[in-house]
Structures are given as C-alpha cells and as structure tokens.
Amino acid sequence: MISLAEARQLVLEHADPLPARVVDVADAVGCVLDQPVVATEAVPPFVNSAMDGYAVRAADTADAPASLAVVGTILAGDAPTLTVGTGQAARIMTGAPLPAGADAVCMVERTRPTGDGASVVIEIALRAGDHVRHPGEDIRVGDIVFPAQTAVTPAHVGVLSSLGIRQVPVHPRPRVAVLSTGDELFGGDGPLPAGKIRDSNRPALVATLAADGFEVLDFGVVGDDERAAAEAFAAAAAKCDAVVTSGGVSVGDRDIVRLVLDQLGGPGTRWMQVAIKPAKPLAVGRFGDTATPFFGLPGNPVSALVSYELFVRPALRAMAGHHRLDRPVLRAVAAEPLERRPDGKLHLLRARVSTRPDGQLQVRTAGGQASHQLRTMADANAFALLPDGHGVGTGQPVAVLLLGAHGIGTVGDDRFGLEPGFGLEPRW
Ligand code: AMP
Ligand code: MG
C-alpha cells in the first residue's frame, strides 16, 4: 500500500494543463485564464454623475441653501456641450457625463425646484467631487485587471465586458469519457435479471463531472472482456482529454481494467493500493495513441466517488489550469464518537457537518459506512478524515473535507483572516 499523498503525486503526474485556446468571454466561466488581462480602456470611461440630481459648482453651495439657475438637463447617454457657470446648475441623471464647469452633484432628494424648474434650491453645502465618478475609478488603462491563473466567474465576465473584451485565452475544460465495466451491469429497464445489478457509477460520475464544469462523454458499459474493453478504452481515449472507468481494478479474476492497462497502458501506467478506506485500488496512466490520461476507479459505488473526489477531480482541475485543486478541509469537533479500527489506512467517513450555536463546526456519521452503501454518500455533506488509530471521542477535533464547495480557501487560512466560527451560515 502507498500513502494517499504518494498516490496523488503519481496521479497528478498525468495531469498537465491543457494548451490554452481563445474562447468567448461568455463561455469562459469556470475556466482559468492563461494570460493576464490588461485594460486598454478606463472604467468608468468619463467623469459622470453617481446620482440623479443637479450638477453644480460646489463653491456656489457653500452658504446653502442656494438658489441656482437651471441651464439644461443631461441624460445618461448624452454628450453634453453646455457649461455650468457660476450661479448655475444642470439637471443630471445617474451615469450622465458631468458638464463642463460642474464639480459636484447634489442628489435630487436634497433639492427643491422653483420657478417651474427654471431654478433650483440646493439645500446642502457640497464639496467638490461629491457624487462624482471619475474615469478609471474602477479600472485604469494599463491595469492588470486579472492575473494569469484567475478562474473566471460571472463577475469576471461582467468586468471583461465593461472593458470591451469579448474573447480571452483560457485552458479549455477537459473532455472526459466515462465507462462502466462489469458483466453484472444491467442497462435495461424493468426488473433485474438474476445476478445483475443496475449501473450507478456511470450516472453518478457523469453527474459529478458535469457539476464540476467538465465536458462529459458517456461511453456506456463494457463487459468483463479484455478485447472489448481495450477497444472501448481506445475509442474513448481518441475522443477525449481523459478517460474515467469504474470497476475491474482490484485483484479479482475478471479485473479487466487492470489486465488491459498492464498490457496496453502507456508510460507511467500503474495500478496501486492506496492506504485509504474506502477506495483502496486505483489504476492510473495513459491509454491509446494519444497517451490520454486514464483513471481506473474501483467498482464499489462509494469507492468510485471517493476515488473521484481524491484523485480525478484534482487531476482534471490541474488539466483545466486550476491551482486550487481540492475542496476545503476544515476543523470540526466530533458530536458523537467516530470509531474505527487501526489498519494502516486513512478512513474517510461519510459524515454530516453542521454549525453549533457558537459557530463551531460539528460532525456526525451519515450512517452505514460499507463501500456498497451509496445512500449514506448521498446523505453526507462531508468526509470526516480519521487517521489510522481508534477514531475520536465526542468533543475531539476532526478534519472534515466539505463536499459541494470549491475555491473558498480554508477557514483559518490567513489569506482570508477567518477563524473557525466566523459567523457565516454555511450553506450545504
Ligand atoms: P469490481 O471493482 O469490478 O470488482 O467491482 C466491485 C463492486 O462494485 C462489485 O460489487 C460490483 O458489482 C460493483 N460495481 C462495479 N461497477 C459498478 C457500477 N457501475 N455500478 C454499481 N456497482 C458497480
Ligand atoms: Mg467488475
């Protein structure tokens, strides 16, 4: 058996970032920038009003209330030519360019039109710059707006659009082939034939890959036949950036993924026994003429998902150019005894994490922990990480890997200045 850390090292060797390509900004969400974005325009582009109100010379309002002559109206989108002189004001809308001569805006709520709108009373004294937005206040020309390696979110799409940038170079989303292996898998509808089970791994893996923002191609089920498996893997490898299979990687007589990889796998291909429970067996390497990265996950439904979590998602994220590969691991306390036996392995207990009234995270088991008991995986929102030993008693600290969250850093990580119990209501 090798440690989780060693196994991850071996897996990540097969996870080089995919070459960047230029995509439309709208398609870049979830992708990672390959180059910094430099602003060639300022945002805002011109001096404008932050309020609906009146553009004035601040000095005219020093002895407020002050009555000023209204010399015009400026709407958003106008390119005004008028000038606000001493004793004058211009009606102005949010986002409209500030007219020449004006240096402040009085919000409409602090004004009173008089003389049918020919004049206005400014009720408060203003300082130059009040409610004025200056060019470049958000972004200046030449700013590095986003460094390379930024993961694009919808807010990034907004910023890029505000700069007139329509395309960006990003690492593409890996296209991932998914296959199930096993003669026992029944693909039809209706009652199960004797000895058969339904395929749950493939739909679960397809769903999690899609939820993680990867492109998925479903290559179906292949039986426990070496030749058929070799053909199916080759077809998948030719079409995709990575191949993910489940089943057939342990030491049974018909563990054909292992047998096929032993014969046909490219350099660096190996299968291993990882010192974790569940999900001990794992095959990793390259397949086909394209030397496509290959991840052979165990067949037990919980093991397949655990193995995906610990190995495949991080590898695919690395291929997508991400630097934050893992979900957050936080500190919780056991709300009940979390027992285990010493066996040289790290145990990943399907668990439920919640917040106590004092903000501290607490963790309980999600129920049955055998690797075929998939329902407790669905019930879990975290894995409690139990190092080799006898487990932990009530009130003792436990590391928990939170499922369903990414990129939020780790509580206690000083980059975020957060301590456990920082008061936000976790949502999962
Ligand atoms: P294997 O690793 O192929 O020996 O499979 C281990 C266990 O997982 C066996 O009980 C299989 O029947 C089960 N299994 C394998 N593949 C799947 C699948 N796609 N869906 C559900 N169970 C599976
Ligand atoms: Mg099998």
Side-chain angles (χ1 to χ4, degrees):
M1 282 199 306
I2 61 174
S3 71
L4 176 61
E6 276 175 272
R8 281 170 53 96
Q9 187 98 41
L10 292 169
V11 169
L12 291 173
E13 275 172 20
H14 296 284
D16 297 326
L18 298 174
R21 70 166 79 119
V22 173
V23 302
D24 288 349
V25 160
D27 297 327
V29 174
C31 295
V32 176
L33 294 175
D34 169 60
Q35 281 163 33
V37 171
V38 180
T40 56
E41 292 181 7
V43 182
F46 50 83
V47 59
N48 70 89
S49 177
M51 291 284 175
D52 294 327
Y54 288 85
V56 301
R57 293 169 174 255
D60 285 349
T61 67
D63 301 320
S67 180
L68 304 176
V70 176
V71 293
T73 297
I74 307 161
L75 306 177
D78 285 353
T81 50
L82 65 85
T83 298
V84 173
T86 304
Q88 295 182 333
R91 191 151 165 67
I92 193 165
M93 305 305 143
T94 305
L98 204 72
D103 59 9
V105 171
C106 184
M107 62 201 288
V108 72
E109 292 86 342
R110 297 303 184 89
T111 67
R112 208 165 6 97
T114 50
D116 274 349
S119 53
V120 63
V121 174
I122 305 293
E123 292 174 340
I124 52 167
L126 299 165
R127 282 165 310 179
D130 281 355
H131 305 312
V132 173
R133 300 167 175 164
H134 292 284
E137 242 173 33
D138 191 5
I139 298 167
R140 286 164 306 187
V141 173
D143 276 358
I144 293 178
V145 190
F146 305 126
Q149 300 172 0
T150 299
V152 177
T153 69
H156 292 90
V157 171
V159 173
L160 293 166
S161 300
S162 77
L163 290 163
I165 295 172
R166 296 193 184 282
Q167 296 193 310
V168 281
V170 295
H171 299 284
R173 298 163 211 286
R175 279 162 67 96
V176 186
V178 181
L179 297 95
S180 288
T181 71
D183 281 340
E184 73 276 36
L185 301 178
F186 171 67
D189 295 325
L192 280 172
K196 305 290 182 192
I197 60 166
R198 298 185 204 278
D199 181 1
S200 59
N201 289 351
R202 193 162 43 97
L205 288 169
V206 166
T208 190
L209 284 159
D212 289 337
F214 305 118
E215 278 185 35
V216 197
L217 268 74
D218 186 341
F219 275 80
V221 177
V222 54
D224 290 322
D225 173 85
E226 276 183 62
R227 182 176 302 185
E231 273 172 26
F233 297 171
K239 280 224 175 68
C240 294
D241 300 309
V243 177
V244 178
T245 67
S246 68
V249 290
S250 43
V251 291
D253 293 347
R254 295 311 275 289
D255 278 329
I256 49 108
V257 173
R258 182 171 57 79
L259 299 175
V260 170
L261 285 184
D262 278 348
Q263 283 174 33
L264 301 175
T269 298
R270 53 182 295 166
W271 65 282
M272 47 190 113
Q273 306 281 344
V274 189
I276 55 174
K277 185 176 177 181
K280 183 170 69 155
L282 175 71
V284 63
R286 304 273 177 171
F287 203 85
D289 301 336
T290 43
T292 302
F294 188 103
F295 306 99
L297 309 184
N300 272 310
V302 176
S303 307
L305 290 180
V306 168
S307 198
Y308 173 84
E309 187 66 43
L310 297 179
F311 301 109
V312 181
R313 183 193 289 107
L316 295 174
R317 283 178 65 81
M319 290 172 73
H322 285 280
H323 285 255
R324 222 181 248 289
L325 302 184
D326 292 305
R327 304 225 199 234
V329 174
L330 310 188
R331 182 185 184 280
V333 294
E336 61 190 16
L338 302 176
E339 287 163 0
R340 54 157 295 173
R341 298 230 179 90
D343 59 4
K345 296 181 198 162
L346 171 74
H347 286 201
L348 295 106
L349 207 75
R350 277 151 271 163
R352 284 209 64 82
V353 167
S354 57
T355 5
R356 293 196 318 208
D358 66 359
Q360 170 77 59
L361 295 180
Q362 62 181 355
V363 56
R364 296 174 191 279
T365 174
Q369 296 290 332
S371 57
H372 63 286
Q373 289 175 306
L374 189 55
R375 198 180 69 182
T376 50
M377 181 77 224
D379 289 340
N381 63 8
F383 291 127
L385 307 179
L386 299 179
D388 198 18
H390 293 276
V392 296
T394 305
Q396 287 191 285
V398 192
V400 292
L401 184 153
L402 294 187
L403 301 170
H406 247 131
I408 63 164
T410 298
V411 172
D413 178 337
D414 30 354
R415 264 172 306 175
F416 295 86
L418 300 176
E419 289 299 319
F422 54 93
L424 287 177
E425 189 57 32
R427 290 165 195 239
W428 52 72

